[in-house]
Amino acid sequence: MANKWTGRGNPYTKQEVRERLQRTVDERRAIIAAGAGTGISAKFIERGGADLIIIYNSGRFRMAGHGSTAGLMAYGDANAEALDIGEYEVLPVVDEIPVICGVHGSDPRRRMWHHLLKVKDMGFSGVNNFPTHSIIDGHFRQVLEETGMGFHKEVEMVELATKMDLFSIVYVATAAEARQMAHAGADAIISHVGTTIGGSIGVTGATCSMDEAVDRTEEIIDAGREVNPAIFFLAHGGPIMAPEDVRQILDRTDAQGFVGASSLERMGVERSLEDLTREFKSLTLK
């Protein structure tokens, strides 16, 4: 059973997070993990019943009105940003939900074991590999791999996290990456099928169809399950942005849940603020 919290910001062990997620699956309910870039997002995501909160550096860009892809660029220190959001915004306001820290595993300036000790000591219950090079392709991806800053560094980070009793929920874009992460001890694997479409700053053409998302997700699940059938499998991105889209993924694949960042945090704010402002603005004078 999960531990009884004595106050805000207390972490769960790897096994305790797994037990929580397994209970959700046993109850035939989808696992929902949500990105939070601000404290108020985290507070109301928790009230909405999410199973996990994930903090990425991209959350800060997203909630500042910029595209989440800014988190992949050299616009700041990704690892420092995630710790900062956790320390001063999210961990102080969550009551009970496990909080996961995005870790840029290929950061050459970090002694990764030392950084993960900070993550654990701060009160995070696990790690996620973001920014991730799994969603980079072409010549630039080849350069990253050949110069020691490739996806294998994210795999090594997850191996370290596993040894340190940190839960790990990881992005992959291919079946081969799913196998690598499964061998590294990942607890949950997310099929990342592309940048989320929709909203004010979502992509329109640089993504896949729902049929392609289904096929890629199932290939990733099959590959990971070959290595470890106890892994939890979730989907994210591309055309999977609304509850009805997630319903399709759950019906057509063996995925057990969904990870929403832009689709939950950004689009929720965009819609509600615009609609509420329009409602106020529709008021007339007597």
Side-chain angles (χ1 to χ4, degrees):
M1 295 294 291
N3 60 332
K4 295 287 287 183
W5 281 35
T6 57
R8 290 177 173 173
N10 295 342
Y12 289 96
T13 67
K14 177 186 179 80
Q15 185 58 31
E16 285 169 342
V17 179
R18 290 190 58 89
E19 288 171 359
R20 288 171 64 97
L21 298 186
Q22 189 59 55
R23 283 198 297 274
T24 297
V25 172
D26 290 345
E27 293 167 1
R28 308 306 300 163
R29 294 186 293 117
I31 297 168
I32 301 298
T38 66
I40 196 165
S41 298
K43 179 181 288 189
F44 287 93
I45 285 168
E46 178 175 26
R47 289 191 188 182
D51 297 285
L52 300 172
I53 287 175
I54 308 177
I55 296 176
Y56 321 93
N57 72 315
S58 63
R60 181 153 283 172
F61 291 105
R62 178 167 57 245
M63 298 312 289
H66 310 296
S68 296
T69 305
L72 294 171
M73 305 299 289
Y75 300 149
D77 184 333
N79 282 316
E81 290 277 5
L83 292 183
D84 187 71
I85 296 169
E87 176 77 347
Y88 299 111
E89 297 201 46
V90 173
L91 290 170
V93 301
V94 296
D95 287 318
E96 192 266 346
I97 189 172
V99 182
I100 308 301
C101 185
V103 176
H104 194 186
S106 65
D107 185 344
R109 303 163 302 170
R110 292 298 196 283
R111 294 168 294 160
M112 193 48 61
W113 63 269
H114 186 250
H115 182 67
L116 293 184
L117 284 174
K118 291 182 183 178
V119 168
K120 188 170 185 176
D121 184 64
M122 191 176 289
F124 288 99
S125 297
V127 297
N128 167 258
N129 61 324
F130 194 90
T132 176
H133 294 176
S134 68
I135 55 177
I136 299 172
D137 56 16
H139 175 72
F140 184 48
R141 173 68 180 270
Q142 182 180 345
V143 170
L144 290 171
E145 298 290 344
E146 291 181 359
T147 54
M149 293 176 283
F151 184 74
H152 71 281
K153 299 297 291 185
E154 299 172 35
V155 175
E156 291 174 6
M157 182 272 289
V158 171
E159 289 175 339
L160 272 175
T162 300
K163 293 176 182 177
M164 296 168 68
D165 196 36
L166 282 163
F167 177 85
S168 56
I169 177 169
V170 300
Y171 285 120
V172 304
T174 67
E177 290 168 353
R179 292 188 191 94
Q180 291 179 64
M181 283 297 192
H183 282 298
D187 296 288
I189 287 177
I190 310 160
S191 169
H192 196 309
V193 297
T195 303
T196 303
I197 64 171
S200 65
I201 47 179
V203 299
T204 56
T207 189
C208 63
S209 68
M210 181 59 76
D211 286 342
E212 291 169 328
V214 166
D215 290 343
R216 285 174 58 185
T217 296
E218 197 61 18
E219 288 173 5
I220 285 168
I221 292 172
D222 289 344
R225 191 167 281 162
E226 286 174 8
V227 178
N228 180 7
I231 291 172
F232 299 99
F233 294 96
L234 301 93
H236 169 82
I240 315 166
M241 67 168 192
E244 55 267 28
D245 304 319
V246 179
R247 178 73 271 162
Q248 283 200 59
I249 291 292
L250 298 178
D251 287 344
R252 298 174 63 186
T253 75
D254 287 334
Q256 297 155 303
F258 168 69
V259 176
S262 294
S263 53
L264 261 165
E265 185 180 36
R266 172 173 62 81
M267 293 186 197
V269 170
E270 288 176 354
R271 284 196 298 266
S272 60
L273 282 180
E274 183 174 350
D275 292 346
L276 186 58
T277 303
R278 288 186 188 281
E279 188 176 346
F280 275 115
K281 191 58 183 168
S282 70
L283 298 173
T284 58
L285 302 179
K286 68 177 182 179

